[in-house]
Amino acid sequence: MSRTRLAAQAQAIWRGAPRSIASRRWVSSGPTMGTGAGPSSFGVTSNGVRYTALAALGAVAIYSATHLRPTLLEDERLRSKQDHLPGTKQPGGQKLISYEEVQKHTRRDDCWVIIDGKVYDVTDFLENHPGGEGIILANAGKDATKIFKPLHPPDALDILAPEAHLGPVDPLTMPEVEDLGPTDEEKRIEQARKSMPGADAMLLIDDFEVWAEKVLSGTAWNYYRSAADREISFDENMDAFRRYYFRPRILHDVTNGDLSTTFMGIKSTLPIFISPAAMAKLGHPAGEVNLTKGAGECGIVQGISINASCSLDEIMAARKDGQKVIFQIYLNKDRKASEALLQKVERLGAAAVMFTVDAAYRSKRTRDVRAKSHVAAPIAETSASASASKAPSKAPLGVSAAISGYQDTNLTWDDIKFIRKNTKLPIIVKGVQSVDDVQLCVDAGVEGVIISNHGGRQLDFAPAPVDILYEMRANRPELFEKIEVMVDGGVRSGADVVKALALGAKAVGLGRPFLYANGTHGQEGVERVCQIMAEEITNTMRNCGARTIKELKPEMVGPAGPWVGQNRPTWLPKA
C-alpha cells in the first residue's frame, strides 16, 4: 500500500466519507481474493498480502497523527455549533446531543424539546405558541413527539429559526421506554372497534356520532363534541330544524331529478360542503387528507381549516384534478403572517377564502377543557421570568385553546379590506348571526356569507342559524339576490338540508358529522356521509314535489303547526 493511498484513506475517515475503512475493502488495480467487507479484513491485494482491520487502522492513526492532524483541525466544515454540548461527534461533523443535556433545558428562559428524534430550542417561541407556553414547558427537556404530532402538521416546526434546530438526539442515551401494555382507554377502543359495523351499515348521520363516542380517544371525542358553556346553542342548532315542516306539493312527475348545484362559482354534485373543522388527525392518522380525498370522490367542496392537523401542501396535493376547495382563515395577530398565508393559498389554487368572524374571543368549551385536565403540570422558571410572567391559569387548556392562541381578537370591518388587498379570491364571511350584518357584508362587497354560530362552540344562547335564515326570508328577502347565502350548524339529515335550501340557502355545511365519520371509518366514512345525504336529499325533495334545487321554493317550508294568523309565513299570499 503506497503512502499516498494510505493518506487518502485516512482523509476519508477523518472527513466522514462514505467509504469508511471500518466497513469497506481497499481496492487495488490487481485481482482480489475473498469478500472481506467486514471488520475482520479488507480483501487481499495482488501480491497476496492481507491487511487486517487492526493493522490498517493503526497505520492510519500513526500517519494522521504526524501528517494530517493540523490540517483536519482547521477544517471548518467539520465543526458544529453544538460542538460544546455533551454528546457524540460523528465522523461527518454532526453532533448527537445527549438526552442528559436536553433534560437540563426546562425553563422559560432556556427550553428544549425532542420531536421525532430531533432537538429544538423553543425558548424564543414560547410566547408565540398558539396554545400558550404551559403545554410546552410541561414537556420541556423531554420527548414531546406523542403529544405534538396529533395536533400539528408536518411543517409546523419550519416556523422556528434555523439556529433553533439543534440536531439529533443521541439514541443511545435515550431512556428505554417501559412497555406497560395497552392502557385502559386503548383496550376500550380496541374492543369497540371490533364490534363496530362497517360504513355501509351506517344508515343515518347520527350513527357515526354514536360510534365515534365509542371508538375515539377521550381527547378526540371531547374536542369534536365540545360546545360553549352549558351547550344551549349546540342543542338549539339541531332543535331549531325540528320547528320547520314541509308543505309538499303533489302530482308532480319526480321520476328523474338532479341534486347538482353551483355556489360561489363552484359546481358541486350535492348542495352540501364540508365545513372547516380542525384536528382531523385526532380521529384518524390521515387527518384532513381523508376529507380531501372523500370530497373529491363525491364531487363536493371541502372547507380547509386553518388549524388543520395536516399541512396545506399535503391537503392540496391530495386533490383530484380540478377539485375545488375553500380555505378558511382566522387573522393572525401578526398581519404579515396572514398576508403570506393568503398569497400562498391563492398560489396553491384555492377557489375562495372563508373569513371566520364568529370566534372573536375565547370561549369555554366545557367538555374539551375537562378532558385536558391532565395538561396542567409543574413548570420550572427562573426568578426573573417568575416575576415578569402572568399568574398561571388554574383552568387547564383544552385542544381548542391549544391551537388558537395566534388568533387576533381585534377584528373590524376594515379587515375585509385587508383580505381583499392581499388576495383576488372571492371572500365568504363565515359566522354571520344577524340579518343586519348580512346587509353590512353586502355593503363591504364580499361575495358570500355563511350564517353560523360556530357549531354552538363560541357564544352560548347564540341564535340557531336556520332561524336567522327564516328571519331573513321573512324580513329581508331582497338580500338573497345581492349575496350568496350559505348556512351551517345543527344539520343532521337530508331533510335539514332541503329546508335550508327552500328558504334560500345556496349550500349547506356539515362539520362534526364528517369528523365523526373520518374518526370511525376514515375516507370510506367521509364518502358514506355523502351517500346518506344524497339519498335523504333526493327522497325529501321528490316527496315535496321538487326534482331539482331550483324547484325548491320558500312556500314549501315554514313553522310547525297550522299556517294561520301569526304563524303564517309572511311571503305567502294572504289567505
Side-chain angles (χ1 to χ4, degrees):
M1 172 66 63
S2 68
R3 190 183 189 93
T4 302
R5 185 178 297 277
L6 185 60
Q9 292 293 334
Q11 288 277 10
I13 285 183
W14 278 95
R15 295 183 185 276
R19 192 165 75 175
S20 169
I21 281 185
S23 61
R24 300 217 180 178
R25 296 197 305 269
W26 275 322
V27 180
S28 70
S29 58
T32 62
M33 297 176 59
T35 58
S40 60
S41 64
F42 293 101
V44 180
T45 61
S46 57
N47 62 5
V49 179
R50 179 181 295 274
Y51 288 89
T52 66
L54 182 61
L57 289 172
V60 170
I62 293 171
Y63 187 85
S64 63
T66 55
H67 293 81
L68 303 178
R69 186 172 179 81
T71 302
L72 293 168
L73 287 177
E74 294 171 2
D75 193 341
E76 293 297 328
R77 291 174 298 175
L78 299 182
R79 294 186 179 179
S80 166
K81 293 180 180 179
Q82 287 76 44
D83 278 355
H84 65 286
L85 300 175
T88 303
K89 183 72 172 287
Q90 294 181 302
Q94 177 175 251
K95 185 65 172 286
L96 299 179
I97 303 170
S98 72
Y99 180 67
E100 182 181 6
E101 177 65 25
V102 176
Q103 288 179 295
K104 298 176 183 177
H105 303 266
T106 59
R107 311 175 80 86
R108 281 190 173 90
D109 60 348
D110 182 19
C111 182
W112 293 7
V113 294
I114 301 169
I115 298 171
D116 273 338
K118 296 179 181 178
V119 183
Y120 298 90
D121 184 345
V122 294
T123 307
D124 294 337
F125 180 64
L126 287 176
E127 63 181 19
N128 297 317
H129 181 235
E133 63 179 25
I135 186 64
I136 298 180
L137 289 168
N139 291 275
K142 304 174 186 176
D143 188 339
T145 304
K146 188 173 182 180
I147 195 171
F148 175 88
K149 295 191 75 172
L151 298 176
H152 300 81
D155 59 356
L157 294 167
D158 292 350
I159 194 173
L160 298 179
E163 57 269 22
H165 296 245
L166 300 182
V169 66
D170 188 342
L172 299 180
T173 66
M174 291 291 289
E176 291 187 14
V177 178
E178 186 178 358
D179 185 7
L180 301 176
T183 64
D184 290 342
E185 181 174 70
E186 289 168 342
K187 292 177 183 177
R188 170 187 65 78
I189 293 172
E190 182 181 8
Q191 289 301 314
R193 286 199 174 272
K194 286 180 180 179
S195 60
M196 183 177 69
D200 288 346
M202 302 293 170
L203 301 181
L204 301 172
I205 297 300
D206 291 341
D207 293 343
F208 286 105
E209 181 172 355
V210 169
W211 281 100
E213 184 174 9
K214 296 177 181 178
V215 304
L216 293 181
S217 69
T219 297
W221 168 254
N222 285 291
Y223 172 66
Y224 292 163
R225 173 55 184 80
S226 64
D229 301 338
R230 295 167 58 206
E231 303 186 346
I232 305 299
S233 285
F234 170 83
D235 292 331
E236 179 66 5
N237 283 354
M238 291 179 285
D239 290 344
F241 274 104
R242 299 186 178 100
R243 293 198 292 269
Y244 297 91
Y245 277 68
F246 296 109
R247 288 296 187 271
R249 302 308 301 268
I250 62 172
L251 297 178
H252 288 250
D253 181 4
V254 291
T255 304
N256 299 304
D258 182 13
L259 299 184
S260 64
T261 191
T262 299
F263 65 100
M264 299 303 299
I266 307 170
K267 292 183 179 179
S268 178
T269 59
L270 296 172
I272 64 171
F273 60 92
I274 300 178
S275 293
M279 298 290 105
K281 274 189 179 179
L282 286 176
H284 191 284
E288 285 78 8
V289 167
N290 278 342
L291 303 181
T292 306
K293 291 181 177 179
E297 289 297 322
C298 297
I300 67 169
V301 176
Q302 175 194 13
I304 299 173
S305 170
I306 189 176
N307 291 327
S309 49
C310 293
S311 70
L312 181 57
D313 295 284
E314 283 181 298
I315 294 169
M316 299 299 268
R319 293 176 299 167
K320 299 180 70 172
D321 290 343
Q323 181 179 346
K324 302 297 184 181
V325 296
I326 296 173
F327 185 78
Q328 175 252 352
I329 190 168
Y330 295 108
L331 290 185
N332 199 307
K333 295 171 185 175
D334 177 4
R335 285 295 194 270
K336 291 188 179 298
S338 291
E339 288 178 12
L341 181 58
L342 286 166
Q343 292 162 11
K344 178 178 181 178
V345 165
E346 183 172 339
R347 186 172 65 252
L348 289 177
V353 171
M354 189 183 293
F355 177 30
T356 297
V357 297
D358 57 1
Y361 201 72
R362 69 180 64 91
S363 65
K364 179 177 65 183
R365 300 180 184 176
T366 313
R367 292 172 187 254
D368 185 28
V369 175
R370 281 180 174 153
K372 300 301 293 181
S373 59
H374 65 278
V375 167
I379 298 172
E381 56 185 321
T382 63
S383 56
S385 65
S387 60
S389 64
K390 298 179 181 178
S393 170
K394 293 183 179 180
L397 285 176
V399 174
S400 174
I403 63 174
S404 60
Y406 68 92
Q407 293 169 210
D408 197 351
T409 58
N410 182 23
L411 299 178
T412 70
W413 288 97
D414 287 338
D415 288 314
I416 293 176
K417 298 177 183 177
F418 166 82
I419 296 174
R420 184 72 75 193
K421 179 182 177 182
N422 287 283
T423 183
K424 297 176 182 178
L425 296 176
I427 299 173
I428 305 167
V429 175
K430 180 180 185 293
V432 177
Q433 299 169 78
S434 73
V435 177
D436 289 342
D437 280 344
V438 176
Q439 177 64 64
L440 291 177
C441 285
V442 171
D443 297 342
V446 302
E447 288 79 6
V449 294
I450 299 179
I451 300 175
S452 172
N453 60 24
H454 217 87
R457 294 164 75 85
Q458 284 300 120
L459 172 65
D460 215 3
F461 291 94
V466 70
D467 283 344
I468 298 300
L469 188 67
Y470 181 85
E471 186 179 316
M472 182 171 161
R473 170 56 64 187
N475 298 334
R476 296 293 306 278
E478 74 279 5
L479 289 176
F480 288 99
E481 305 302 321
K482 298 180 179 181
I483 195 168
E484 295 206 5
V485 178
M486 285 75 72
V487 65
D488 81 357
V491 178
R492 292 297 185 271
S493 71
D496 292 343
V497 172
V498 175
K499 292 174 187 178
L501 295 173
L503 288 172
K506 284 282 189 177
V508 179
L510 293 88
R512 287 184 180 93
F514 280 109
L515 287 177
Y516 294 149
N518 175 62
T520 57
H521 296 86
Q523 181 183 339
E524 185 182 11
V526 174
E527 294 178 22
R528 180 58 182 153
V529 168
C530 293
Q531 292 167 2
I532 293 171
M533 295 306 293
E535 176 190 34
E536 294 182 357
I537 293 171
T538 298
N539 294 346
T540 304
M541 283 177 53
R542 296 193 187 182
N543 282 306
C544 283
R547 295 167 296 181
T548 65
I549 305 299
K550 289 183 178 180
E551 291 182 1
L552 290 170
K553 305 297 181 183
E555 55 264 28
M556 291 180 171
V557 67
W563 287 2
V564 296
Q566 293 184 345
N567 200 48
R568 184 177 178 82
T570 58
W571 56 82
L572 294 178
K574 291 184 178 180

